[in-house]
Amino acid sequence: MNSHSPSHGIALLGMHRSGTSTLAGTLRACGISFGEVLDQKLPRNEKGLNEPASILYMHEDLLVKSGGAWHNPPTDPEWEPLHKAVRNLFIESRQSERVWAFKDPRTVLVMDGWLEVLPDLGRAGIFRHPAEVASSINDRNQFDLENCFHIWSVYNRALLKLLRNNPFPIVEFVSDADEMLSSFERLIIQLNHEMSDEARGFFDRELKHFERPEIPVPKDALRIYFELQEYAN
């Protein structure tokens, strides 16, 4: 790596069950480096989570040590020395890459710790309708719907705060394949990359049609959702 091509990182931001794995896989297929990630097939992520294990486990430990968990986000997560050490080693391991990215839904809750050492860290986001996410978490984890909506609101309120402070490319995860692919293409252009044929193939095979469940959505969640839409491509 020479002085004219500094390493540039991108954090993918979005909560669980919101299309982050699909976005990450698409960016990987466009040539953005993600390093070694969790690629094993899962029932709801057939092409893998596309998450670095070290960051996933570090973030979860950070939330637990702060009195919460991914499904019970603490009010003010506190980075301890061990968490910072894992973060720093991860960043150092990426310095040979011109452009690199990482994805873990918990990132949106703890971005202050990343910006502390990478104030110019790039960002790209994705969000999904609260009824779809709440229903998916309810089905997967058996949490009651009220709690599922609360989790959605905490994550996406944090996402919205980051957007307000410093807007970045963000898309909505929807069931229309053509619309979704077009949104991804626009986001990738905003990141100064080009959509590859491999990326289009990954996306087409990955996306599955889904119906939006007809369940009442809390007003606060809808307010957050509509404001996110204003920032979307």
Side-chain angles (χ1 to χ4, degrees):
M1 184 176 66
N2 59 51
S3 60
H4 298 290
S5 301
S7 178
H8 175 65
I10 303 170
L12 302 191
L13 303 174
M15 81 159 293
H16 307 266
R17 312 305 306 145
S18 296
T20 56
S21 297
T22 304
L23 175 58
T26 301
L27 293 179
R28 285 180 71 194
C30 287
I32 295 177
S33 174
F34 278 73
E36 185 176 344
V37 296
L38 297 170
D39 277 334
Q40 65 268 33
K41 291 185 178 181
L42 299 171
R44 292 176 175 83
N45 289 85
E46 293 181 2
K47 299 182 80 65
L49 293 172
N50 289 307
E51 297 172 6
S54 60
I55 297 306
L56 184 160
Y57 295 128
M58 181 273 280
H59 280 166
E60 184 63 16
D61 186 73
L62 193 163
L63 298 179
V64 170
K65 294 289 176 55
S66 300
W70 77 264
H71 57 280
N72 180 30
T75 303
D76 190 18
E78 184 175 348
W79 287 73
E80 296 184 357
L82 179 60
H83 306 131
K84 293 181 179 182
V86 173
R87 173 202 64 193
N88 295 344
L89 286 171
F90 179 80
I91 294 171
E92 288 175 14
S93 73
R94 298 310 195 253
Q95 293 309 295
S96 63
E97 301 291 344
R98 188 178 65 84
V99 181
W100 54 274
F102 71 96
K103 166 255 175 180
D104 171 36
R106 300 162 186 80
T107 307
V108 74
L109 304 175
V110 298
M111 268 293 285
D112 60 328
W114 289 95
L115 296 176
E116 177 183 58
V117 293
L118 292 175
D120 296 324
L121 179 64
R123 277 152 274 187
I126 190 166
F127 66 97
R128 186 178 177 187
H129 192 280
E132 295 165 3
V133 176
S135 179
S136 180
I137 294 177
N138 170 260
D139 178 59
R140 185 186 69 177
N141 299 99
Q142 303 302 303
F143 300 157
D144 64 73
L145 279 174
E146 182 179 0
N147 187 30
C148 294
F149 280 118
H150 171 70
I151 297 169
W152 185 95
S153 294
V154 172
Y155 275 79
N156 286 284
R157 191 179 294 115
L159 179 61
L160 188 55
K161 181 179 179 180
L162 291 168
L163 280 164
R164 288 169 175 166
N165 290 339
N166 187 9
F168 49 85
I170 187 169
V171 297
E172 180 178 359
F173 190 67
V174 297
S175 65
D176 185 291
D178 291 336
E179 181 180 348
M180 193 71 261
L181 187 56
S182 295
S183 293
F184 277 180
E185 288 180 334
R186 288 194 297 272
L187 181 145
I188 289 166
I189 290 172
Q190 288 178 288
L191 295 176
N192 297 315
H193 283 262
E194 295 182 0
M195 192 75 162
S196 67
D197 290 339
E198 182 182 353
R200 291 187 182 90
F202 177 94
F203 172 82
D204 288 339
R205 293 190 298 272
E206 176 72 7
L207 188 67
K208 296 176 177 62
H209 180 75
F210 52 83
E211 298 289 342
R212 181 168 299 167
E214 296 182 3
I215 54 178
V217 178
K219 291 182 179 179
D220 182 57
L222 284 176
R223 180 190 61 78
I224 295 169
Y225 171 69
F226 291 141
E227 189 167 348
L228 286 171
Q229 283 190 314
E230 294 177 8
Y231 284 96
N233 293 324

